[in-house]
Amino acid sequence: MMASLNEIKTRIASTKKTSQITNAMQMVSASKLTKTEAYSAKFQLYASRVREILTHLTASELTELANSGRELGGINYHSMLLHRPVKKTGYIVITSDGGLVGGYNSSILKQTMTMLEDDHDSADEYVLLAIGGTGADFFKARGVKLAYELRNLSDQPSFDEVRKIVSMTTSMYENQVFDELYVCYNHHVNSLSSQFRVEKMLPISDLDPSEAQTYREEYLFEPSKEAILDQLLPQYAESLIYGAIVDAKTAEHAAGMTAMKTATDNASAIIDDLTISYNRARQAAITQEITEIVGGASALE
């Protein structure tokens, strides 16, 4: 019985140490989540403002493009705004670099594979780019060739960290390596939940010329509107991709916090059960000792 008591005590001590670790990791993830949420909110303000400016500047061109489908004003609007026949599709799949994030990665990878199998007859019809080591390793293990992979992003990735993959992606689109681009990731809903999303990034399709009527700003162009748009359109496409990366990182921190909270709660429940078992075993041992003492005393009478 003493061996059993010692074993239970050891398990309680071990579980308490695990609980302390998971609780600390939960607090770290919560801190990261708070910072990333604040950064994401600020970036969304920037992206929204750029979108307003682009919508205002391209309103007349977008309207004419819808009817003509030709180049206007010296800018190759085909490269960013026009839909062309889709021969190959590009996908950026965003996962985490490590584990301890619950079902965050499995949700993305499972639904992405299902989408690829449903929408394409062969691997020749799409190009994959992976952000995060988990996704990259997953596709490599299945013999899927990656056009590019990016690992070890910081907790709050700056644009400089992802500049290469973002710029390369827009260049691949302009060079017709693929004819449309989607980003597959988990969208951050709140600290307890996320939602799998497949968002179309290229060609740019979220500029509505009818919204331009609500923007009353007047602009002075230097050197010209055409030159400005020639720079602004690719930057906007890059900002959409970067925004998805920041959103995915926020969802990752939320998933890590939730996973560690669940682990801490489970550890507490195990400790409670072990404590009850320990008390029962100790009570049984004391009862047995008393019985043996009483029995010994009775034998001496």
Side-chain angles (χ1 to χ4, degrees):
M1 184 63 69
M2 289 303 297
S4 177
L5 285 173
N6 289 334
E7 181 181 348
I8 294 174
K9 286 178 66 176
T10 300
R11 291 185 61 190
I12 291 175
S14 175
T15 307
K16 283 183 177 179
K17 291 179 181 179
T18 301
S19 177
Q20 291 171 350
I21 293 172
T22 55
N23 186 55
M25 294 176 69
Q26 176 190 342
M27 290 188 290
V28 170
S29 294
S31 176
K32 292 178 180 178
L33 175 61
T34 301
K35 293 178 181 179
T36 310
E37 281 181 329
Y39 181 78
S40 179
K42 292 179 181 178
F43 177 79
Q44 291 304 321
L45 290 175
Y46 160 79
S48 176
R49 185 57 178 166
V50 173
R51 181 179 180 276
E52 289 181 7
I53 295 173
L54 272 177
T55 301
H56 186 99
L57 297 184
T58 61
S60 60
E61 286 84 354
L62 286 171
T63 301
E64 189 171 344
L65 279 170
N67 301 320
S68 66
R70 61 184 178 85
E71 294 185 10
L72 302 169
I75 305 174
N76 185 5
Y77 282 94
H78 289 272
S79 64
M80 289 294 165
L81 297 175
L82 288 184
H83 295 264
R84 58 185 184 233
V86 179
K87 299 177 182 177
K88 187 170 288 191
T89 303
Y91 296 96
I92 299 178
V93 183
I94 306 175
T95 61
S96 70
D97 284 296
L100 302 178
V101 288
Y104 174 82
N105 291 314
S106 60
S107 171
I108 299 170
L109 296 173
K110 180 180 179 180
Q111 295 186 72
T112 298
M113 289 300 295
T114 299
M115 177 190 65
L116 294 176
E117 292 171 358
D118 292 343
D119 295 348
H120 301 283
D121 295 328
S122 70
D124 296 331
E125 296 181 357
Y126 57 83
V127 176
L128 286 181
L129 301 93
I131 297 179
T134 301
D137 294 338
F138 175 86
F139 290 118
K140 286 182 177 180
R142 285 155 181 78
V144 179
K145 185 177 180 180
L146 297 175
Y148 189 81
E149 63 179 272
L150 179 63
R151 297 172 181 259
N152 301 320
L153 280 181
S154 63
D155 295 323
Q156 298 177 46
S158 65
F159 187 80
D160 287 338
E161 287 186 77
V162 299
R163 183 184 299 277
K164 184 175 182 180
I165 188 171
V166 170
S167 300
M168 184 185 68
T169 301
T170 54
S171 297
M172 291 173 70
Y173 175 78
E174 291 178 327
N175 295 328
Q176 300 189 17
V177 175
F178 45 77
D179 303 296
E180 58 183 0
L181 174 69
Y182 293 87
V183 176
C184 308
Y185 69 103
N186 269 351
H187 163 65
H188 174 64
V189 177
N190 53 51
S191 60
L192 298 177
S193 64
S194 60
Q195 182 182 61
F196 178 70
R197 278 190 177 180
V198 181
E199 290 191 344
K200 188 174 185 178
M201 298 294 171
L202 291 170
I204 297 173
S205 57
D206 66 339
L207 302 180
D208 185 355
S210 64
E211 294 181 8
Q213 299 176 359
T214 63
Y215 309 142
R216 298 181 180 180
E217 293 88 344
E218 295 296 333
Y219 300 98
L220 296 176
F221 302 109
E222 180 64 35
S224 67
K225 184 173 82 168
E226 289 74 17
I228 292 172
L229 286 176
D230 201 22
Q231 295 294 320
L232 200 56
L233 280 169
Q235 288 180 15
Y236 179 63
E238 292 174 357
S239 74
L240 290 176
I241 299 171
Y242 176 62
I245 295 173
V246 174
D247 191 6
K249 208 61 174 171
T250 306
E252 178 187 333
H253 294 325
M257 184 186 71
T258 301
M260 291 303 98
K261 182 180 185 305
T262 301
T264 302
D265 292 343
N266 289 340
S268 297
I270 291 173
I271 291 172
D272 290 341
D273 292 340
L274 289 173
T275 301
I276 292 174
S277 298
Y278 176 81
N279 290 336
R280 287 176 177 173
R282 185 167 177 271
Q283 183 179 12
I286 294 173
T287 301
Q288 183 176 352
E289 290 178 3
I290 293 174
T291 302
E292 291 175 352
I293 293 171
V294 172
S298 299
L300 294 175
E301 291 180 356

